[in-house]
Amino acid sequence: MACEIHLNDIGTAFRLTILDCTDSFIDVSSALTKEIIFQKPDGTSVTKTASFYTDGSDGVIQYVTVADDLDTTGKWKIQAKVALTTGTWSSNIETFKVYSNL
């Protein structure tokens, strides 16, 4: 992620890692679905289809913002979710702030 994220930024990459209970990454290279869920400051959620950052063997998926994604200033939450044939896993919930522009 960029150091500071601004309203209507395009091209900001959000990368999240799927970890197990021992904080080791889960190989998600065979994931059937990859999603990143964004919760806006008003509590509404938007789910975006994610892609691998590398090949998924490192547990990392990403989403790169497009127009109208970051449409609200304030504190956001984000979480990744993947489904494999062996189960479904979610990342830790993280937060980030979207700042206004001049």
Side-chain angles (χ1 to χ4, degrees):
M1 286 189 276
C3 294
E4 194 170 290
I5 300 166
H6 288 94
L7 185 67
N8 296 317
D9 277 356
I10 296 171
T12 301
F14 289 90
R15 294 184 187 111
L16 296 164
T17 304
I18 308 296
L19 302 172
D20 65 16
C21 293
T22 65
D23 285 336
S24 297
F25 64 84
I26 296 173
D27 181 347
V28 297
S29 60
S30 63
L32 304 171
T33 60
K34 303 175 291 296
E35 300 174 331
I36 295 184
I37 303 150
F38 291 86
Q39 186 179 65
K40 298 180 180 191
D42 68 4
T44 59
S45 293
V46 178
T47 301
K48 299 290 185 174
T49 300
S51 60
F52 294 124
Y53 175 56
T54 58
D55 63 0
S57 63
D58 56 0
V60 180
I61 64 171
Q62 73 172 359
Y63 175 75
V64 179
T65 60
V66 297
D68 300 321
D69 280 342
L70 300 172
D71 60 357
T72 308
T73 59
K75 185 178 174 182
W76 291 55
K77 293 182 179 179
I78 187 171
Q79 184 176 36
K81 183 177 180 181
V82 296
L84 290 86
T85 57
T86 54
T88 301
W89 288 270
S90 298
S91 71
N92 293 333
I93 297 170
E94 298 191 26
T95 61
F96 64 95
K97 185 173 180 181
V98 173
Y99 294 88
S100 60
N101 295 302
L102 294 178

